[in-house]
Every structure is written in C-alpha cells, then in structure tokens.
Amino acid sequence: MEVEHESKREDDDRETLTIDPLSNQFANLNDLCFEFTSLQDLAFRGSWRSILDKIARARKLSLLQKPHEDLIYLAYSVLALTKLHRYTEAAEELHSMPDFDSPRYRYESHPEIYPNRCGSMVPFAIRWLNAEIPLKLGRRQESLDRLYVLLDFVRVRLRERESRGSELGFCVDVWRKREAFVVYSIASHHLSNKEFVVCLELIQGLVRQDSANAELLSRLGYVQVQVGDLEGAKSTFGEVERLMKEGNLGENEFRNLVGRNKALIYLIGKDYVSAVREYDECIERDPTDVVAINNKALCLMYLRDLSDSIKVLESALERVPTFALNETIVVNLCSMYELAYVNHSEIKRTLSNWIARVAPDDFDSSSTRV
C-alpha cells in the first residue's frame, strides 16, 4: 500500500531578463505563441497524443513563425513523449538542440523579431526534461549530474536577478521557485536510493533561505519521517502549525497542509482513529484533497474496515475523477479488492474498463493488475 505525500509540479515558464512578458507584452497567451491555449488545455486534460498530432501538423505546415515558438512546441513535444513513456524519442527530440546556450536561442540574436529584448528563450521545462530523461533510460548518474548542473545554472540566474533589486521582483520569485523545484527533483532521486543524508542537507539548505515557507518545511518533515527522525518531524510540523496560528497561513490549502502533517504523525504512531479524524477535516474543507482521501482509506483498512476504505476510494473516483484518478489510488483500491472479495478479478476488470474510457493518455493501466 502506498501513502501519498505532496507531489511535485512541472514548471515550463519561459526565461527572461526583462519584466513579466505575459502581463506586459501580450494581450493573451495565443499572442505569445501559436495556439498556446490549445496546447495548455490538451495538457491539462492529459491528451498527450493529441498534442503530438497538433505539433506534427504545425511543423508540417510551417505554422510556427518565430524561433521561440519552435522551442515552446519542442518543450511540449518532449513532455508529451515523456508522459507516454516514449523516452528514447524524447531524447532524440532534445538532440535537435545540441547547445542550449547557443546564440541562436537568444533574443538579441534576432533583433528584427524581438526588439529591445535580451536573454535566453529556451523554456525552463526543456532544461529540466533534458536532466530527467537519462534516468528514464537507465542512466541515473548522468541524470543526477545534469540536475546538479541545472541547479548551478538556476542559482547563477537567481543571484543576477537579486542583485538588481525590486526592479525584477517577479523574476526573482520565479527563479526561487525553480531553485526549489530542482532541489526537490534531486532530493527525490537521492531519497529513492536511500541516500538520506544528502537529501536532508538539500532540503535544509532551502529552509535556511526561507524558514517561513510552510510547504518547504513540510517537505523537510516528510524526509525526516523517511529517515526515522520522528521527533524532528514533529518539531518541523509544529513550526508549520505555528505559522498558521500566527495568521500567515489562513487559507484552506494551508489548513489542510497542517492537517495532513498531523495525520501523518498519527498514522506512523498507529493511531489510525485520530488520523482518520484529521483526514476527514481536510476532505470537508477540500473534497479534491486526494492525499487525504487516499490516506484516510489506508487508515480505515488498517482498522480492518475494508468495506468503508473501499467506499472512500470508489466515491472519490466517482465524485472527482480528474483529481482522484491516479496510479497510487488505483493500486491501493485494487489491493483492497483482492483482500475483500473472492471475485476480485471481475471487479478489477470492471474498474479497468472504466479507466480505459476516462483516464488521460499517460495513465498506467497496469496499476489495476488485471
């Protein structure tokens, strides 16, 4: 059974040395790039095959008129291929860009198209995918090396923007988020390989820079749980709760973060009744909180209430399929079916058929274990 924590997000914002281009130079996203809103909509719905078809058509008909549009479509192409587990093809797409720092990918190299603009036009997502894909091809060390190079790149850009003060406030925030994102990526690789000390040092380094970041503190607590430092985790989670009580974190999103942290400590201590109570409060505040939904079901299972644990996951799939339909929840639900029913194969097949109709293209159908 799998307990869920926070998930990492993919960030495909474009790099710039000027003020925010999206709020300053373009009336809408389609002005930024050819049919950009359509790409975003397809990605949100998980229609990765449709994205590849759209990209192939745009390239065939030469619909992309500017260099940065080619790069944005390349980013979506690599992302779609990665989502569909076509990692070799994704790597081949990236090989079409031999040097991310080539002058041809800088705005000032095309003054007739981008007057008064400077800096790289390479989407950050391309740099991150270029670092992650070797891992999918079985080259873990190469992937880690690239991620550390990317982290150095991000930190150099962050220092450049911080040195210019409030003039680039928006850009500083973006690059800080990118720094945290890359650190999370590196830490997750070390954590999966049980390299706990390195993982803790990475997260603690971010905390020293931003000690009032509740999400960051919570991630530190999750790592402390993984290494068995329960007292350290309790202290870290207590700091998150203190931030909320001081009025810094009043929204339901942060209240749920505190609730999930408390529930996790209860769960580890095998106080499943108290954990269920915390998760119930989270779900009442936000019915789409799939971490709380999944972990509540697990606690009920540990309390030997398989019937209700199954109902929790089935209800979530019915009510909020866009949020609840992920491999972790499906794996756990199928495990519960196997424990609860003699005819679990037939029940799982019914679930698998429903998933085939509604799931995004990148959903791993093997999670039903039919």
Side-chain angles (χ1 to χ4, degrees):
M1 296 292 180
E2 299 182 42
V3 175
E4 284 198 348
H5 301 315
E6 307 304 310
S7 61
K8 64 184 178 183
R9 298 178 303 170
E10 289 167 355
D11 179 354
D12 58 358
D13 291 331
R14 294 168 57 242
E15 178 185 352
T16 177
L17 288 176
T18 61
I19 57 178
D20 177 14
L22 299 185
S23 64
N24 187 61
Q25 299 185 18
F26 305 100
N28 57 60
L29 290 177
N30 287 334
D31 289 340
L32 170 65
C33 178
F34 176 73
E35 295 190 355
F36 194 16
T37 54
S38 176
L39 285 174
Q40 286 195 317
D41 181 59
L42 290 170
F44 179 77
R45 291 190 278 120
S47 300
W48 303 108
R49 295 186 182 89
S50 297
I51 284 178
L52 292 177
D53 291 341
K54 184 178 185 66
I55 292 170
R57 175 179 174 273
R59 288 172 172 173
K60 181 179 180 180
L61 299 178
S62 300
L63 299 176
L64 308 177
Q65 302 297 317
K66 299 178 180 179
H68 78 275
E69 292 182 322
D70 286 319
L71 292 174
I72 290 174
Y73 270 64
L74 175 66
Y76 271 96
S77 177
V78 175
L79 178 59
L81 290 168
T82 303
K83 288 287 189 178
L84 296 171
H85 309 289
R86 292 159 60 176
Y87 305 122
T88 301
E89 293 174 71
E92 290 171 353
E93 274 276 81
L94 284 170
H95 286 162
S96 66
M97 286 184 66
D99 181 8
F100 294 163
D101 298 319
S102 168
R104 64 185 290 194
Y105 302 130
R106 297 188 66 82
Y107 291 114
E108 60 265 35
S109 297
H110 311 274
E112 71 286 356
I113 303 175
Y114 311 106
N116 303 318
R117 297 201 67 192
C118 61
S120 172
M121 63 179 73
V122 177
F124 178 73
I126 287 181
R127 298 180 186 274
W128 176 72
L129 287 165
N130 180 64
E132 285 283 353
I133 286 174
L135 178 71
K136 309 297 185 181
L137 297 172
R139 305 196 298 268
R140 176 179 179 271
Q141 191 56 53
E142 180 181 347
S143 192
L144 268 177
D145 291 344
R146 291 186 181 184
L147 282 168
Y148 275 106
V149 169
L150 179 58
L151 181 59
D152 289 340
F153 169 85
V154 169
R155 285 174 170 167
V156 168
R157 297 301 181 278
L158 177 57
R159 286 194 295 269
E160 289 175 355
R161 284 148 181 79
E162 286 176 333
S163 68
R164 297 175 65 177
S166 59
E167 173 189 353
L168 294 176
F170 169 83
C171 290
V172 169
D173 290 342
V174 168
W175 283 95
R176 281 178 180 159
K177 290 177 181 178
R178 288 173 176 173
E179 179 189 25
F181 180 77
V182 176
V183 168
Y184 294 155
S185 295
I186 295 172
S188 68
H189 291 315
H190 286 301
L191 192 61
S192 65
N193 213 43
K194 299 186 178 181
E195 296 164 349
F196 300 125
V197 175
V198 179
C199 187
L200 274 173
E201 289 176 349
L202 285 165
I203 303 296
Q204 287 169 339
L206 287 179
V207 170
R208 283 192 291 270
Q209 299 176 43
D210 190 3
S211 59
N213 186 319
E215 182 181 352
L216 180 55
L217 285 167
S218 295
R219 288 179 185 267
L220 174 60
Y222 303 148
V223 176
Q224 290 171 316
V225 166
Q226 291 283 332
V227 302
D229 182 10
L230 297 187
E231 291 306 313
K234 288 179 183 178
S235 176
T236 301
F237 291 154
E239 182 65 17
V240 176
E241 188 170 8
R242 183 188 65 79
L243 289 172
M244 184 189 72
K245 288 179 178 178
E246 288 181 352
N248 297 329
L249 309 174
E251 299 178 5
N252 284 345
E253 175 186 356
F254 296 112
R255 292 183 179 276
N256 276 23
L257 182 62
V258 170
R260 290 194 300 269
N261 292 346
K262 293 170 68 174
L264 182 59
I265 295 298
Y266 286 134
L267 193 159
I268 293 167
K270 298 185 179 180
D271 184 355
Y272 303 123
V273 172
S274 296
V276 168
R277 183 183 64 248
E278 293 292 340
Y279 287 132
D280 273 335
E281 292 178 5
C282 291
I283 296 167
E284 184 177 348
R285 283 189 293 263
D286 179 7
T288 67
D289 189 336
V290 293
V291 176
I293 290 167
N294 177 78
N295 293 356
K296 175 189 174 182
L298 290 185
C299 290
L300 290 170
M301 185 193 69
Y302 295 144
L303 288 168
R304 300 184 181 182
D305 189 352
L306 268 176
S307 176
D308 277 356
S309 66
I310 289 172
K311 287 179 183 177
V312 167
L313 296 187
E314 288 182 335
S315 174
L317 288 171
E318 182 180 348
R319 289 184 297 105
V320 287
T322 302
F323 299 92
L325 187 53
N326 66 58
E327 287 85 352
T328 298
I329 282 184
V330 170
V331 165
N332 287 343
L333 179 57
C334 288
S335 296
M336 293 171 188
Y337 285 154
E338 292 166 3
L339 292 170
Y341 303 118
V342 174
N343 62 333
H344 58 78
S345 295
E346 181 180 338
I347 296 172
K348 290 193 297 181
R349 189 170 292 107
T350 300
L351 175 64
S352 182
N353 292 337
W354 175 79
I355 289 172
R357 294 196 304 271
V358 303
D361 293 344
D362 57 319
F363 188 85
D364 184 0
S365 59
S366 67
S367 59
T368 58
R369 301 203 295 269
V370 174

